[in-house]
Amino acid sequence: MLKLVLLVILQSVLVVSAQTLLKISVELFGKFSFTWAYFKTVFTTWQFFLSGLLAILSVVVWMYVLKRYEFSVAYPMLSISYAISLLSGYFIFQESITLTRWLGVLIVMAGVILIAMDANR
């Protein structure tokens, strides 16, 4: 079970990192327009490229998880990404995270722990 948890954490870190870089890159693009200059900016921004690469890596890790573990155990564990995304919002985007959000994520994490404990039976 520890291997599954570590793989899901890895997959979650990869997908949240990809989404974080995607947010950074779309903010760098400026106002959207159907112009060559705009799309040149999109496809020459390293954050956009790295976002795609990390997304692909997250899919590869997830494919491995799906192949090896029960879907009803593995998929709910992806909720770990909620906690990681809150940390990304707080530390990278300096977002204010309310107590209600933290409590919500703690409740979700309690659910993940219950699923992991049940899978060990």
Side-chain angles (χ1 to χ4, degrees), residues 19-112:
Q19 294 301 312
T20 300
L21 284 166
L22 185 59
K23 179 171 174 57
I24 290 168
S25 62
V26 297
E27 289 175 353
L28 293 173
F29 299 158
K31 186 178 177 186
F32 179 83
S33 65
F34 279 107
T35 63
W36 173 248
Y38 179 82
F39 286 100
K40 181 180 176 190
T41 302
V42 169
F43 293 112
T44 59
T45 304
W46 69 266
Q47 292 92 340
F48 183 74
F49 174 78
L50 188 54
S51 171
L53 183 62
L54 291 174
I56 291 168
L57 288 173
S58 76
V59 169
V60 170
V61 172
W62 185 238
M63 288 170 57
Y64 179 83
V65 169
L66 288 175
K67 183 74 173 169
R68 304 273 181 203
Y69 299 96
E70 292 181 27
F71 186 77
S72 63
V73 173
Y75 193 79
M77 287 189 164
L78 288 179
S79 300
I80 290 170
S81 65
Y82 298 151
I84 298 167
S85 67
L86 279 185
L87 295 172
S88 176
Y90 182 78
F91 287 110
I92 295 173
F93 300 112
Q94 285 76 50
E95 296 174 356
S96 176
I97 310 298
T98 64
L99 179 60
T100 305
R101 285 189 217 167
W102 285 116
L103 289 174
V105 167
L106 285 174
I107 291 168
V108 170
M109 292 298 94
V112 168

Side-chain angles (χ1 to χ4, degrees), residues 5-23:
V5 171
L6 292 174
L7 285 166
V8 169
I9 289 171
L10 173 62
Q11 192 278 343
S12 295
V13 166
L14 288 168
V15 78
V16 170
S17 298
Q19 294 301 312
T20 300
L21 284 166
L22 185 59
K23 179 171 174 57

